[in-house]
Amino acid sequence: AVSGSVPKKLVWDARPIEEGVSSYNVYEKVDNGRQPPFWKRIGTVHKPNFTLRKLTPGSHVFAVTAVSKFGESPRSSEMVVTK
């Protein structure tokens, strides 16, 4: 049996070695309609990609930050994934 839920992957353009990045934080924008939207960290990775599992149907908005010895960068531009 083939499952219909194929994991989607976020991939972003980065040069971690040159940029001195030790890891990336991945955030999802949570907008449930009951409160103002907020960003929730959903993972930390060491390579510039992140596999999204268990996505619910609909549109999801993600962003990443880079972490280096100088701290955490501002969030990237938003990436929208639709399931």
Side-chain angles (χ1 to χ4, degrees), residues 45-80:
V45 291
H46 297 285
K47 294 189 168 116
N49 61 69
F50 183 78
T51 301
L52 301 166
R53 294 184 168 83
K54 298 182 184 161
L55 273 185
T56 55
S59 286
H60 298 264
V61 180
F62 300 95
V64 297
T65 61
V67 179
S68 71
K69 64 184 180 193
F70 303 110
E72 187 174 11
S73 75
R75 273 192 308 273
S76 67
S77 53
E78 297 181 356
M79 298 174 268
V80 179

